[in-house]
Amino acid sequence: MIRSAVKSASELCGQSDLSRAVDEFATCTSVELLQGTLFEIRFHAPRVAAAAAPGEFAQLLVDEGQVPLLRRPFSFSRVDISEGTVSFYLAAVGRGSSRLRLLHPGDRIRVLGPLGRGFSLPSSPGRSLLLAGGLGAAPFPLLMDQLIGRGEEVIWLNGSRSSSELYPDHLLPSGIQSRLIRTQDGSKGDPGLVTEGLPELMGVVQRIYACGPNPMLAAVYRSWASEVAAGHTAASLEVSIEAPMGCGFGTCLGCAIPLAAEGDESGPIGLCCRQGPVLPAQQLNWDQLLNQPAHLG
Amino acid sequence: MIRSAVKSASELCGQSDLSRAVDEFATCTSVELLQGTLFEIRFHAPRVAAAAAPGEFAQLLVDEGQVPLLRRPFSFSRVDISEGTVSFYLAAVGRGSSRLRLLHPGDRIRVLGPLGRGFSLPSSPGRSLLLAGGLGAAPFPLLMDQLIGRGEEVIWLNGSRSSSELYPDHLLPSGIQSRLIRTQDGSKGDPGLVTEGLPELMGVVQRIYACGPNPMLAAVYRSWASEVAAGHTAASLEVSIEAPMGCGFGTCLGCAIPLAAEGDESGPIGLCCRQGPVLPAQQLNWDQLLNQPAHLG
Amino acid sequence: MTMDPAVSLGRGLVLPNPVGVASGTFGYGFEAERMGPIAHLGAVYSKGTTLLPREGNRPPRISETSAGMLNSIGLQNPGVEVVARDYAPRWREWSVPVVVNVAGAGITEYVEVCERLSDVAGVAGLELNISCPNISHGMDFGTDPKRAKALVEAVRRVTELPLIVKLTPNVTDITEVGRAVEDGGADAISAVNTYLGMKISVKERKPVLPGMGTAGLSGPAIKPLALAAVAKLRRAVELPLIGIGGIGSTEDALEYLVAGADAIQIGTANFYRPGVSAEVLSGLIQFATDNSLQSWRDLRWSD
Amino acid sequence: MTMDPAVSLGRGLVLPNPVGVASGTFGYGFEAERMGPIAHLGAVYSKGTTLLPREGNRPPRISETSAGMLNSIGLQNPGVEVVARDYAPRWREWSVPVVVNVAGAGITEYVEVCERLSDVAGVAGLELNISCPNISHGMDFGTDPKRAKALVEAVRRVTELPLIVKLTPNVTDITEVGRAVEDGGADAISAVNTYLGMKISVKERKPVLPGMGTAGLSGPAIKPLALAAVAKLRRAVELPLIGIGGIGSTEDALEYLVAGADAIQIGTANFYRPGVSAEVLSGLIQFATDNSLQSWRDLRWSD
Ligand SMILES: Cc1cc2nc3c(=O)[nH]c(=O)nc-3n(C[C@H](O)[C@H](O)[C@H](O)COP(=O)(O)OP(=O)(O)OC[C@H]3O[C@@H](n4cnc5c(N)ncnc54)[C@H](O)[C@@H]3O)c2cc1C
Ligand SMILES: Cc1cc2nc3c(=O)[nH]c(=O)nc-3n(C[C@H](O)[C@H](O)[C@H](O)COP(=O)(O)OP(=O)(O)OC[C@H]3O[C@@H](n4cnc5c(N)ncnc54)[C@H](O)[C@@H]3O)c2cc1C
Ligand SMILES: Cc1cc2nc3c(=O)[nH]c(=O)nc-3n(C[C@H](O)[C@H](O)[C@H](O)COP(=O)(O)O)c2cc1C
Ligand SMILES: Cc1cc2nc3c(=O)[nH]c(=O)nc-3n(C[C@H](O)[C@H](O)[C@H](O)COP(=O)(O)O)c2cc1C
Ligand code: FES
Ligand code: FES
C-alpha cells in the first residue's frame, strides 16, 4: 500500500479551513426530546454559531476527557446567529449521544467548530432537492434556511423506516416549496424508499443534496450517475458522509474515506473531516464505502 | 508478613452484617448547595433508608462503571424513613464527589447500603459528646437523632479550619443540649482546635463519638487514653475512620486498616468496611494509621 | 434457549455456564453469599491461596485510575489449611463449582498447596496463579515459559484435579507461555491477570502504593489489551480458554467469546456492580436465544 | 518563576520546556498551526515518516475503548522526500523544535530516512519509532534488545542529529531494550508507544479494525502502565527520558516528572482537547513557581 497519493486527496477534493474553528465552552440552553430516542440539543456558543455553515460539523466533548474519551461529531442542524446558538439533531444511540440527552440547561461542555467542508451554495437561484434518510435530516434545516434565503426553491424529501424516525415538521424553516415523505412501513407519507421516483425528481432540479445511511447514499448516487450518463439531468449531487473521528481536524488520520480517482476507480484515501463530510458524490469510491462495516463502535 | 491473623480481625472487632445491604436504583430528590464546595444530596432509596443506622455508610455508583470506576463511600448523614430518603453531606473534592454535585433531582444512581459497622447506641440514657472535624460532621445528624430519641443528652462539638467549613445549623435536629464551635482561624465560635478543653468535657460524659481527619482523631484518642489511664473518665470513645474502598463489603481487601492487638501494639490488618468504619478507638493502631499518606487518590 | 449453556474445561470440570467470578474479586464466596443469591454462577475462583496464612501488604492497597484500578493486596489469605478445613465443606453445599486459586513463592509451595487440596471435597479445580505482580518473584513463572512448564508438570504429578493456569499479560509474547503450560499438562488456561501499573502522588512525590509503587491494573481500561491476548492465545493453543479482563457487561463477555474464550471471569466489576454476574449471564442466554446459537463456539471469530 | 524551564535531551537538543506533542497526534504541525498558536510547545514530534509515501491502512482505523482509543493508521505519510523538501523549510520559521519520527521496514530504510534528514535545516532531531504495532514487523526492533541496538548503531553512523529512540511497552522487560539502545548510542529514550489491543464487533463476530484486528491502545487508560514503564526505565538507564502515555492534565505530566521523565509528550489528548498542551505547560510553570522548584528534577522520586 505504498503510493504517492496523500497530497492528492486535498488536491482532488480541497480541504477544510481550520482557521475558522473555535473550541468554545458552550452552555446548554435546551434539550428538546422528540419521538423515541430522538432529540434536539441547543447550545449557546456564539463564536461557533457565527462561523457555522450548512453541512459543517462540530465536535462535542461529552466528558472532560475520560469516558467517552473522544469528541462526538454532529452536523449543525439549526443556527441562530443573533441568539448565538447552535442546535444538533440526534438520536441517543451510544454512550456519547445518551450522555448528551441527559444534559440540562445550564450544563457546560466544549463545542469545537465549525469543522469540515459543508454544502456548496448556489451562486444563482434555482431548484434544489434535499434528500434525507433517518438521522440524515440533521444538516438540512440550516441548509434550507440559507437556500430559501437566497431565493432557492426547496424540495424536501424525507424518508425513514417509520414515521417515528422522520424529522419533526415543527423544526423546519418556513418557505419550503414541496415536502415529500416516504416511510418503509407506510406509517406516514408514501410507502417505500426515498430512491423510488427519484429519476423524475432529478430531472427537475439543479442541485441535489443527500444525507443518510451509506447504502441509501450509494443507491442515490447510482441512480444519479445513470441519469447523468443518460443526459436526463445535469444536477449536481453532494452527499454528507460519516466516518469514525478521532480529532475532526486532520491530525489523527482516523477518518479515512475511499476516494475515487475517476468515476468509480479506486483513488487515494481522503479524510472525512477535511475533504468531507460533504463531497460531490463522484469523488467517492462507493464500492469501498459500502464494504466498510456498518458498526463503527 | 506471614501471620495467622486474618480471622482475628473479625474476632477482635466483629464484622458488618452484609445481609442487610441492598443495591437500590435510587432517585436523587435534592441537591442542597451549602458554603463553598459543601453540599447535601438526598436520594429516594426506601429500602436502604429503612435499614440504615448511624455510622454506617453507602456506596454510591457515580458512573455506570467507567470513570470514576469505583463506588464512593459516604456515611448516612440524615435519614427519613417515612419519606424513604437518605441524605449525604459532602464536599466536591475529586471526580466522584464533583459529579454527584452536578446531579439533578430525578437523576438516578445506584446506592448500595447499609454497609459497615456503625456507632453503638447506649442501652440506658446518659450524656454523649459528638466531636466532629470538618466533613467529619457527616454521620452525626443521624446519630444525634437516634440519641436524642433515646433520651440521651447530646453535646455537639464541631471544629474546622474556618466557619465556612462548619456543619450548617439548619440541618441539625432539634434537641441538642449544648453546641460548641471551634474554628482554627477564629472566624466563628472559639478559636483553636477541637482538642482544646477536651479533658474537661470527657470527664462529664459517658460516651464520646468522633469523626474527622486522622490527625485529629489520633489527638482525641491520645487525650482520651491519658484521661482514662488517669482515671479521670470512664467514657467510651468510638471513632469513624476512612480508607480507600474498592467494594465496601469485604471482598477486595483494599480497605486495610491497622488494628491494635492490645493498646498500641501492632495487631492484625482489619478491613475498614467490615470491622469499621466505626471502631472503639483502642482497637486501632494509631501510629500506623498516621503513617499512611493523607492523599489517597 | 434450547442450547446447553454448560462449558467443559477438561478433566471432568464442567461449568454450568461460562460466567465465573475472578480470583481476588469475590473472596471465598461467603460475603457475596450473604448479600444475595450466587447459585447462578458458572464458577467461583477463590482468592489466591498460599501454604501459610498471609497478612498481605500494608495499606494503602488500592488506587483508582481512568476506567481502572490498581491493587497491591499482597495475597492476604488465611492459608490452605483453613481453606481445606473450614471453607471447602461449605462449598460442598453449593451447586456452583469452586476453583481454588493457588499462589506460591516457589515450586515446592505450589505443589504442597495443590497436594493439600487434592482430595478435598468441595474443591472443583485449581487455578495456578503464576502471575501475581504484588509479591516478590510473583511473576517469575509467568514470564518464563520453561519455568512455567516445569511448575505445571510438578503440580500435575500430585493432583488429579482439573488444572487451570492463569497467565500474566506482562510478557512480550503470551503465546509462548501458553504453549509451555499446555505442554506441561494444564487442562485450561485463564488469561489474563493484572497489568503492571503505577500511580503517583504528586503531593508526596512518590508512588501512592507502597514498596516500589507498582501494582496490578484491572478494570475496563485493560479490556482491549486482554482481548488481544486471548485472541492471540486462541491461535496458539488447543486448551479451553477463560477470558478475563475488564468484563462488566454482556457485550464485553460476548467480545471474549468471539475472540476465542470458552468461558469468562468477571473481576473488578464485582466491586462496583455486585449484581453484574447475574446480569451478564442472563444477557448471554438472551443473546443465545435471539441468535439461535447451538453452542457458545458458534460465536467464535474464524478469519 | 526563576527556574529555567528548558530541558536538554543531549547532543545539543535543548527543548524550551518539557511539554511536547506525540508523533501521530499532531500531524506535521500544520493543522494545529492553523487552529491556534503553537509557539508555546517544547517540541513537536512529527507523524512517523518512511522512505516512500504510504497510504496507510484501509478504514476503519480507529475505535474507542474505555478511557482509551485503538488506532491502526498504518503509518500514512507523504514519505521523507516531501518532509525534507516541503515541510522542513516551514519548520525553520518556527521557534519550536521539530523532531521527525522515523519508521522503517528494516535497518536500510531507517538508515536512508535518517540520512536524508540529517543535514536538513528545520529538523531538530530524530525519533526512531521501533515500536509501531500497526505495520507488519513494526515491533521486531522494539522487542529484541540486540536488533534494537544494531539499529541504533547503524543510524548513529549516518547522522549527527540528536537521536531519540521510542520504545514499545509490549515486552516482558522494557529495561532490557532501554539499556540496549543506550549502549547503541541513543541520546534519549521516549517511552511509550501504544499497547497492543483489540476491539470486537459482536454484531459482525470479528474485530472492528481490519487485518488481524490488533491495534494500538492509547489514552488515559494506559497511563498507569506507561508510568510504571518510565519508572522502571529511570532505574535502568542514564539517558534523558521522555514520558508518554495518557497525559491530559498538569497532574498527569507531573506524575511522569516524579516517576523520572525529563520531558513529556501529549498524544491522544490533542484530539479531544486541542488546547491541552498550553494548559499543561502553564500548569507546570505555576506548579514550579508555587513550589519554588530549582529544576524539574527536583520533583523526582528517589526512594
Ligand atoms: C461529520 C459527521 C456528522 C454527524 N452528524 C450527526 C448528526 O447531526 N446527528 C446524529 O445523530 N449523528 C451524526 N453523526 C453520527 C454521530 O457522530 C454518531 O452517532 C455518534 O458519534 C455516536 O456516538 P455515541 O457515543 O452515541 O455512540 P457509540 O457507538 O458509543 O460511539 C462509539 C464510537 O464510534 C463513533 N461512531 C458511532 N457511530 C458513528 C457514526 N454513525 N459516524 C461516525 N462515528 C460514529 C463515535 O463517534 C465513537 O467514537 C455524524 C457523524 C459525522 C462523522
Ligand atoms: C466509610 C466512609 C465514609 C465516608 N463518609 C463521607 C461523608 O459522609 N462525607 C464526605 O464528604 N466524605 C466521606 N468519606 C470520604 C469520601 O468517600 C471521599 O471523599 C470520596 O470517596 C472522594 O471521592 P472523589 O471521587 O471525590 O475524590 P477522588 O480523590 O477523585 O477519589 C479517588 C479515589 O480515592 C478515594 N478517596 C478519596 N478520598 C478518600 C477518603 N477521604 N476516604 C476514602 N477514600 C477516599 C475515592 O473513593 C476514590 O477511590 C467517607 C469515606 C469512607 C471510607
Ligand atoms: C483486588 C484484586 C485482587 C486480586 N487478587 C488475585 C488473586 O489473588 N489471584 C489471582 O490470580 N488474580 C487476582 N486478581 C486478578 C483478577 O482475578 C483478574 O485477573 C484481573 O483483575 C483482571 O480482571 P478484571 O479486569 O475483570 O478485574 C485480583 C484482582 C483484583 C482487582
Ligand atoms: C492515531 C495515532 C497515531 C500514532 N502514530 C504514531 C506514529 O506514527 N509514530 C509513533 O512513534 N507513535 C505514534 N503514535 C503513538 C503516540 O505517539 C503515543 O506514543 C501514544 O499514543 C501514547 O500516548 P497517548 O496515550 O498520550 O496518546 C500514534 C498514536 C495515535 C493515537
Ligand atoms: S478525524 Fe482525525 S483526521 Fe479526521
Ligand atoms: S472495601 Fe473492599 S474489602 Fe473493604
Side-chain angles (χ1 to χ4, degrees), chain B residues 44-285:
Chain B
H44 186 248
R47 296 168 65 204
V48 175
E56 295 177 343
F57 67 100
Q59 283 273 66
L60 274 55
L61 187 61
V62 180
D63 187 272
E64 277 288 324
Q66 297 282 334
V67 176
L69 184 72
L70 301 172
R71 292 189 185 226
R72 298 298 196 249
F74 297 101
S75 304
F76 296 109
S77 189
R78 300 195 301 153
V79 171
D80 188 324
I81 298 186
S82 60
E83 288 188 353
T85 59
V86 290
S87 304
F88 304 97
Y89 170 69
L90 53 153
V93 289
R95 184 139 35 196
S97 49
S98 303
R99 278 271 291 270
L100 287 171
R101 190 162 180 270
L102 295 177
L103 286 191
H104 299 262
D107 290 347
R108 303 181 78 189
I109 68 165
R110 283 176 203 271
V111 174
L112 171 67
L115 296 167
R117 304 179 74 228
F119 297 107
S120 6
L121 294 173
S123 40
S124 61
R127 197 183 286 129
S128 289
L129 171 63
L130 278 58
L131 196 164
L135 282 165
F140 287 135
L142 177 60
L143 176 63
M144 287 173 191
D145 217 48
Q146 303 219 350
L147 287 175
I148 294 166
R150 289 167 182 242
E152 183 85 353
E153 213 173 274
V154 166
I155 305 176
W156 170 228
L157 172 49
N158 189 190
S160 68
R161 272 172 303 193
S162 98
S163 66
S164 63
E165 292 169 11
L166 290 170
Y167 188 78
D169 278 344
H170 75 277
L171 296 179
L172 286 172
S174 55
I176 299 171
Q177 212 71 19
S178 32
R179 304 182 186 203
L180 308 168
I181 303 293
R182 294 259 200 305
T183 52
Q184 286 174 41
D185 66 0
S187 51
K188 196 171 169 191
D190 295 335
L193 300 171
V194 279
T195 39
E196 283 165 37
L198 205 50
E200 294 70 47
L201 277 171
M202 285 179 173
V204 300
V205 298
Q206 280 76 51
R207 281 163 286 281
I208 309 166
Y209 302 100
C211 183
N214 281 350
M216 179 201 102
L217 294 179
V220 172
Y221 167 69
R222 305 255 188 261
S223 166
W224 170 79
S226 68
E227 292 303 299
V228 170
H232 296 160
T233 185
S236 60
L237 172 61
E238 286 188 347
V239 296
S240 178
I241 59 163
E242 296 179 356
M245 288 191 173
C247 62
F249 44 84
T251 56
C252 76
L253 307 180
C255 63
I257 46 170
L259 297 178
E262 227 171 80
D264 279 348
E265 289 291 294
S266 180
I269 288 277
L271 297 178
C272 182
C273 72
R274 298 222 63 199
Q275 275 79 53
V278 176
L279 290 116
Q282 68 276 14
Q283 289 182 354
L284 287 160
N285 184 320

Side-chain angles (χ1 to χ4, degrees), chain A residues 14 16 55 57 115-118 241 257 271-279:
Chain A
S16 64
F57 67 99
L115 296 167
R117 303 179 75 229
I241 59 162
I257 47 170
L271 297 178
C272 182
C273 73
R274 298 221 64 198
Q275 276 78 53
V278 176
L279 289 116

Side-chain angles (χ1 to χ4, degrees), chain A residues 2 70-72 253 288 293, chain D residues 53 58 61 64 204 272:
Chain A
I2 293 171
L70 300 172
R71 292 189 185 226
R72 298 298 195 250
L253 308 180
Q288 285 185 24
Chain D
R58 291 274 118 186
R61 292 174 168 188
E64 199 185 57
E204 302 182 72
Y272 56 85

Side-chain angles (χ1 to χ4, degrees), chain A residues 32-94:
Chain A
E32 183 179 351
L33 302 185
L34 305 164
Q35 297 187 86
T37 60
L38 294 169
F39 63 104
E40 191 197 45
I41 187 163
R42 185 175 309 177
F43 294 94
H44 185 248
R47 295 169 66 204
V48 175
E56 295 177 343
F57 67 99
Q59 283 272 66
L60 274 54
L61 187 61
V62 181
D63 186 272
E64 277 288 323
Q66 298 282 332
V67 175
L69 184 71
L70 300 172
R71 292 189 185 226
R72 298 298 195 250
F74 297 101
S75 305
F76 296 109
S77 189
R78 300 196 299 153
V79 172
D80 187 324
I81 298 186
S82 61
E83 288 188 352
T85 59
V86 290
S87 304
F88 304 96
Y89 170 68
L90 54 152
V93 290

